[in-house]
Amino acid sequence: MTKVLSFLSILYILSVVVYNIRAVMEVCTDRLCVDNPEVEREAEKQYTNPQSMALVVYNPTHIEPFKLPDRQFKFVNRDISIKQDWGNLGVAAVVWDAAIVLCDYLEKSVKKSQLNLSNQRLIELGAGTGLVGMVAALLGADVIVTDRQMALEQLEDNVNKNLKPSGGSTEVQINIQELDWGKNLHEYTKPFVIIIGEIGRASCRERV
């Protein structure tokens, strides 16, 4: 289990690094870093938006999927509809390629019996839209998805829409909680078996 989770963390880190390096290389190759007004306007818009969580400069072709109000996915034999809000919440409200890669890896690993998520306590840091956490829950994990307060409403909407279709209790084990890194860690004292987040760290029986 430890080896599988370590490999998972490495895969997640590599997917994030490769995606961002590719984006930067394409932007700089086309000299868009310096003299493309559209990229500069997009960057300025994100930077000056007080609700945006970070500044992300991309070639316009890369951010087009982020601007869609909804995106559709299929994991664990389920159609999953994800609400996005790039204009107001920025990077916290869109589905990144790294999330899709991780969902695919989790599903295939469980299917091949290389990873057992059944009733395993899992926490996702910076869950954003909640896609990865929902897939983990559908695969049997006992999940807590976390993010900053400003992102929780959309996170809850996505979870409710996909896992509480009738408005009742969730059909899987998933809870939503606020976690602003470094501020309310004292609320998370019970150990988790798996930790997933932008830092790409996952190991056995680590405490947050």
Side-chain angles (χ1 to χ4, degrees):
M1 175 66 77
T2 302
K3 291 182 179 179
V4 172
L5 294 177
S6 296
F7 180 73
L8 183 153
S9 67
I10 294 172
L11 178 69
Y12 189 49
I13 292 172
L14 288 176
S15 65
V16 174
V17 171
V18 170
Y19 181 77
N20 285 284
I21 288 177
R22 184 185 65 184
V24 171
M25 287 180 65
E26 290 183 8
V27 169
C28 292
T29 298
D30 294 336
R31 298 184 61 80
L32 292 170
C33 289
V34 179
D35 53 16
N36 188 302
E38 186 173 354
V39 172
E40 292 179 0
R41 283 195 299 271
E42 187 66 36
E44 183 178 1
K45 178 181 176 182
Q46 283 299 309
Y47 182 72
T48 56
N49 183 351
Q51 296 299 317
S52 180
M53 285 184 148
L55 171 63
V56 180
V57 180
Y58 277 116
N59 181 315
T61 59
H62 291 131
I63 65 173
E64 287 307 314
F66 297 162
K67 297 178 181 178
L68 298 174
D70 297 276
R71 293 182 67 184
Q72 310 301 318
F73 302 92
K74 191 176 185 69
F75 290 106
V76 201
N77 296 319
R78 290 282 295 268
D79 292 319
I80 301 176
S81 177
I82 297 295
K83 173 186 174 183
Q84 299 191 134
D85 192 356
W86 172 255
N88 291 317
L89 295 175
V91 297
V94 296
V95 178
W96 295 85
D97 283 6
I100 301 171
V101 171
L102 184 54
C103 288
D104 186 61
Y105 175 79
L106 290 174
E107 181 175 13
K108 288 180 178 178
S109 296
V110 169
K111 185 176 182 180
K112 295 178 181 178
S113 299
Q114 297 174 340
L115 179 65
N116 178 22
L117 293 181
S118 182
N119 294 315
Q120 300 294 322
R121 279 180 53 81
L122 180 151
I123 185 169
E124 182 180 7
L125 309 176
T129 62
L131 177 61
V132 176
M134 285 189 283
V135 169
L138 288 169
L139 291 169
D142 182 359
V143 178
I144 294 180
V145 287
T146 69
D147 214 314
R148 295 167 60 188
Q149 180 62 43
M150 61 187 293
L152 293 186
E153 182 177 353
Q154 177 179 267
L155 179 56
E156 186 173 5
D157 286 346
N158 279 326
V159 170
N160 288 343
K161 179 170 61 174
N162 290 285
L163 302 183
K164 292 184 182 179
S166 60
S169 59
T170 56
E171 57 190 270
V172 295
Q173 301 178 90
I174 185 167
N175 291 288
I176 302 163
Q177 295 183 23
E178 179 185 2
L179 177 55
D180 196 341
W181 295 1
K183 293 185 178 180
N184 58 323
L185 295 178
H186 62 279
E187 298 177 13
Y188 296 83
T189 58
K190 192 174 181 180
F192 294 91
V193 177
I194 304 171
I195 300 173
I196 295 176
E198 289 182 336
I199 53 175
R201 187 177 183 185
S203 59
C204 288
R205 300 194 180 281
E206 272 199 272
R207 289 182 182 272
V208 175

